[in-house]
Amino acid sequence: MRQQTMLPRRNFLALGAAAAATSLVPGKVFAAIPTGVKVHGLSAFGDLKYKPDFTHFDYVNVDAPQGGTFNFLPPNWGSNQTPLTFSTLNSFVPKGDSPQRMEMCFDSLMVRALDEPDAVYGLVADGVTISDDRNGFTFSLRPQARFHDGTPLTAEDAAFSFKLLKDRGHPDYSLPLTHLNDAVAVDAHTLQLKFSGKQTSRTILNVVQFPILSKAFYTANPFDSSQMNPPLGSSAYKVGRWSAGTWIEYERVPDYWGNDLPVNRGQNNFGRIRIEFYQDRNAAFEAFKKGEILYKEEFISRVWATQYNFPAFTSGKVVKHEFPAETVPSMQATAVNQRRAQFQDPRVRQAIALCFDFEWTRRNFFYGSYERSQSCFEKSDFRAAGTPSPEELALLEPLLDKLPPEAFGEAVTQPASDGSGRDRKQLGKAAKLLAEAGWKRSGDFVVNDKGGRLPAEFLVDDETFVQVYSPWVANMKAIGIDASIRLVDSAQYQLRQSTFDFDLISAAFSFSATPTRDDLEIFFHSRSAAISGSRNLPGIASPAIDALIDAVGAAKDRESLTVAMRALDRVLRARRDWIPSWYLANHRSAYWDMFGFPEQKPDFGFPVESLWWFDKGKAAKIGKA
């Protein structure tokens, strides 16, 4: 399925896993970084890999040629972006549908390294000084920083941006800025960010990656979803030609001010990046077969297994390749919307989960690919297993009266079915759970004490989901749930998701290698449950969950972070707010054989559009020069 990401930062694919961070020496947060001294980078745990005089990241090809067009279907996105259409060019507000990769047009104070789990290095800022109380950060901005119209990018623009995003930005931006007290332009090249002390020590790692917007542009133009005037940016790309809802091109800026910075060398190699928008997956695949699309990740197992037999593939012009996925905490699951009264009892949510026959679905729809997901933080050390450790119990026991008993036993897992498509044992258990929750059978349906049915409607935006979820719906109907699927267009889907107007909805997300309280609040905290556009799709509002998120934020080393994350995972699974579905171990990539890419893929990100390059020799061999 398509993958969303929770991080709409400039390098929002720069994610990683704690499991890959064993080479780092645990210690206090920023312990290796002194206060009162200007430093070139920040890392939550351990020393920075790259020294102040580094010339480039190890995972790039500094000799990569520049030029050519990369026409691709982005596999992930954030904020208000959608892969199906766009009606605004403002990617930073709660409403509207914006095109993917608009973040490529904006620079930030710092950017992540893709071969470290939590390190950021200076981009617009050449360094940062931490105050003695660690609540203030003073950034020294590079005087050569420029917007695309040649005007200077100053601390005033940066201060304006942080205030604007806090007050009016999409929740992906506004929530992490909750505890920002002030953003001050001390002078043209000095910015101070002042926090209240209620932020976590790792909040800054997120905030420094937020886009710096032009104060002049957004003073003259509205900061809302009506904006179709290409915004003034400052990064390696700017908006070129576009057709609303159909396609957009990002053109490389030849005199980009930051071309030779260490954090940019060997990246942003394509002269033009073009993104097409398709309402129908089949149409997108046909465009790829013809060479109108040059790169795509394949999320449909049937297509990957049976339909790569077209002439361009059999002749060797198109390549299928599986790249290892990042060992990133990830979640692909179905949200059960507890804002609806019928889903507030966890026994109802469990009954719905028991109706999903993953084994049958894997065999009949997935051609044996995909593994069953059990965790909200799959593919990471944060995945709870077995019974709680003593360290986890120390966090859970004070919350005993606020937690389901299952949180104290074996980590809750979705049981394996018999693969028949209608496992009578599991459906019988589901029916019993509904009865215990007060839903009694009356004819074809279960009803409550007022005679009302139990409606459960999947909201989807693609025919593929209708096919995959139809057997699930049939099983729900078999136990008396008034289940259905509603297929809507992309604009309606985006609106209904952001306003929580659904019963059941599925999504896939990736988390940071070193999750912060800010990251998790967007998904699981009571505060985000009523904020339109947040990722808290089930409407979780639990003081116990809030307390565990606070424990994550308070973690002083990677061990305590892992303990807190496992405790959180354990509770989320016991509550059944999300029904885990499946995950894939690799990126199933297909592309026309006209590109070069680094031999070693970085562990914590896969931004193909940034790291790959156009290879004229390969292109000539397949007639694409």
Side-chain angles (χ1 to χ4, degrees), residues 78-197:
S79 60
N80 67 351
Q81 296 176 1
T82 168
L84 302 177
T85 187
F86 67 95
S87 57
T88 178
L89 294 179
N90 189 342
S91 275
F92 311 118
V93 291
K95 297 181 180 180
D97 303 311
S98 72
Q100 298 159 291
R101 298 308 188 261
M102 277 297 297
E103 67 280 349
M104 294 191 307
C105 300
F106 298 88
D107 277 329
S108 54
L109 293 172
M110 308 180 88
V111 294
R112 283 197 184 272
L114 301 185
D115 54 355
E116 295 180 87
D118 54 28
V120 291
Y121 295 89
L123 176 57
V124 170
D126 62 12
V128 56
T129 303
I130 305 174
S131 66
D132 290 341
D133 63 4
R134 298 186 180 270
N135 292 326
F137 299 84
T138 300
F139 297 88
S140 171
L141 274 55
R142 302 181 195 272
Q144 67 268 36
R146 293 286 187 276
F147 287 106
H148 293 148
D149 64 355
T151 58
L153 187 161
T154 69
E156 188 174 355
D157 293 296
F160 168 82
S161 300
F162 286 111
K163 292 176 181 177
L164 184 64
L165 292 171
K166 176 181 178 177
D167 292 341
R168 299 169 57 193
H170 188 279
D172 286 353
Y173 297 101
S174 62
L175 285 174
L177 292 171
T178 298
H179 301 298
L180 178 70
N181 277 353
D182 205 359
V184 179
V186 178
D187 57 43
H189 306 302
T190 307
L191 171 74
Q192 287 184 347
L193 297 182
K194 301 177 181 180
F195 291 86
S196 67

Side-chain angles (χ1 to χ4, degrees), residues 34-50:
T35 61
V37 177
K38 181 179 174 180
V39 293
H40 71 293
L42 300 171
S43 177
F45 304 118
D47 295 327
L48 294 164
K49 173 181 177 179
Y50 294 98

Side-chain angles (χ1 to χ4, degrees), residues 7-55:
L7 295 177
R9 331 293 194 228
R10 179 176 179 272
N11 276 345
F12 70 95
L13 291 179
L15 308 168
T22 54
S23 62
L24 297 178
V25 179
K28 293 181 179 179
V29 179
F30 299 141
I33 302 174
T35 61
V37 177
K38 181 179 174 180
V39 293
H40 71 293
L42 300 171
S43 177
F45 304 118
D47 295 327
L48 294 164
K49 173 181 177 179
Y50 294 98
K51 304 306 179 185
D53 60 350
F54 84 102
T55 58

